[in-house]
Amino acid sequence: MAVGLDPPRNILPIAGVRLSVAEAGIRYVGRRDLTLIHLAEGSQVAAVFTRNRFCAAPVLVARHHLAEGPGVRALVINTGNANAGTGVAGLRAAEASCREVAEQLGCAPGAVLPFSTGVIGEPVALAEKIAAVLPACVAGLAEDQWEAAAAAIMTTDTVAKCCSRQIEMDGVTITVTGMAKGSGMIRPDMATMLAYIATDAPLHGAALQQCLREAMAQSFNRITVDGDTSTNDACVLMATGRAALPPVTKATDPRYGKLRDTITLVAQWLAQAVVRDGEGATKFIPIRISGGYDEAECLRVAYRMAHSPLIKTAFFASDPNWGRLLAAIGSAGVDDLDVAGVQVWLGDTRIVRDGARDPAYSEAAGQAVMVQEEIPVRVDLGRGAAEAQIWTCDLSYDYVRINADYRS
Amino acid sequence: MAVGLDPPRNILPIAGVRLSVAEAGIRYVGRRDLTLIHLAEGSQVAAVFTRNRFCAAPVLVARHHLAEGPGVRALVINTGNANAGTGVAGLRAAEASCREVAEQLGCAPGAVLPFSTGVIGEPVALAEKIAAVLPACVAGLAEDQWEAAAAAIMTTDTVAKCCSRQIEMDGVTITVTGMAKGSGMIRPDMATMLAYIATDAPLHGAALQQCLREAMAQSFNRITVDGDTSTNDACVLMATGRAALPPVTKATDPRYGKLRDTITLVAQWLAQAVVRDGEGATKFIPIRISGGYDEAECLRVAYRMAHSPLIKTAFFASDPNWGRLLAAIGSAGVDDLDVAGVQVWLGDTRIVRDGARDPAYSEAAGQAVMVQEEIPVRVDLGRGAAEAQIWTCDLSYDYVRINADYRS
């Protein structure tokens, strides 16, 4: 079902990052539901997490370990259970999982970050199930296991999401590889469902943090499937520093921009892949708003459109129902919007000129864009120089089916 | 399909309010799509309209006539075409419609308020079509035509929405009768789709305005079907003053409260009827938030829940998926919410206690509530004394079908 999204290929390993997957039987039997990532000594890690107040136990533990721990050496990720809404028992389970991993890998429990995704609010014997398969999982750690890991972290995803990019810098090849999962409850706020991006570049400290923040702002914080913000969202950026370059510790380093841009490209590809694989998605819809006073109002209009069930169902029906687009733009909270200055395009076809139907527009022209799998929407608010772009998908019968059936 | 909503019965006429309907063939042939309301001389009228910046031509004209005109004597309402996004031509059509009505009724064009609902952005020869059937429509004006009018203003509604209430005041019987239409693009902002409430009470000036404002705040501004705000929303309160009582001109009048409460009851019944007839609705869901710091944050949490596609599809599936409820509460923008203080009930069954699953809760108990047609949700935020209630419905296959098919 995913829109224009192929399974991963040509994924490049990252020196210093080893991965392994296992069947822990957390919710289903015979399914790979456990992923372990081991980082070489000296690796630097930054992460952002959901802002949902009901954040999951592993989010609380991972935040704590990042802030107070001795430096991250391992990540343990399970699907099948989000360990959210599980109270004190959930916190203990997340901490116990870290201890099990630490024991197997010979590091401190605080050097392990736990991640969970799946159904919310179900109690589960997480640590016990993980412990049972950990020895085999550790034995399988290898640098070429990204595809397997990308598949093992999936829940309602239909396609594994993983990609790589390389650049040359001072004669040295730098590699970035990332993977992500998520297709529902997607409207990340400073983070996504689960995403892991690694590089062998020597990004350190403040530069690493800023790089993650900037990459997020142009990727996972610019997508929405259903406007729902998960309890478990997390995005991790790992830099092993194995590439033979002196460390990049500050954003003012002349090499910073190129590294950030490459990491942003990977993050953007993954974020778009999450939308392309949005629950029930049949259309991929980039929405670009220009001519706003500031980026905030451009985003407000963009998300208003992306969250409108009427617009999403019209896209599903390939119906160029531009009245619904106008209604969403007009109710996005831009109180002094002069509608006479608004232009709207579907692809290259202008449908609204100066706030009303473009006299040159024909339903046939709109229809020709709407039948495509990818439908770029562009709105010019005609009141400033700011712009912003987000990505979303349509709302189909299958969205309802998937979410009406998910727990039963 | 409407949830627990019967066709209108026992509708009481309002002295001084005559109504008539006709087939003007605006979009479909053989369908009553035109409604005329004529008010006796001396009637007082207040109205609120959509805040959508892309408001329709009739909204602009009606606002202008209300503010600058000689006092309202007639309302003309068409379905089939919203006359929105139609630019200058649309404005002219709305004004011409008022002139036609004024000529037939012998009043000033500024004494006529136009209302349109239906597809957005389609040009239409509105005034011509209305003019052709006006003479017969005027000839049919009568006080007992509320049911016919309530049916004629429907679009995707499946049931006509009309109700009456009576009270005694100083030995005089006061009657309030109202009708409304709307089932999609419903998240009114200071107004609803189209609602008309009339009374023979002698409400005047400031008291009438305040009464409308207060009634709206507890009815049409507390509902949502899909979070989309229409371009044409309007609610009109008409007071003919034919009941033999001295005028009520101020909200400090001791009779004001009782009149307002009766009008609010009618408005609330109509608003809830709109939700019960929400597009594809199979469940009617009152959401009450208590224990908030202020009403605004209670409403933020309530609407966040009511707009969550994941919650709406879970209700459709009769699935007590309380994890989705928590995720919505946690991401409603109450940044300092202490989740440990949160309680959640489905009907009388507490599912969340102190931020986690109530140990006494069983899936069977939750299921027993969820299979009902009406599912009251209650959340206590545990941080203050404010509360608020809204009404919404679920998201079903039929919602997608209706909105994917509407224009085709």
Side-chain angles (χ1 to χ4, degrees), chain B residues 358-377:
Chain B
D358 189 332
Y361 170 72
S362 72
E363 283 279 315
Q367 194 65 48
V369 182
M370 290 297 278
V371 297
Q372 298 168 12
E373 273 194 348
E374 302 204 12
I375 307 170
V377 178

Side-chain angles (χ1 to χ4, degrees), chain B residues 20-44:
Chain B
S20 181
V21 303
E23 296 178 8
I26 286 160
R27 184 171 167 84
Y28 299 103
V29 188
R31 189 146 130 184
R32 290 168 166 187
D33 52 10
L34 186 72
T35 301
L36 188 64
I37 303 179
H38 186 243
L39 301 174
E41 202 168 348
S43 294
Q44 299 274 311

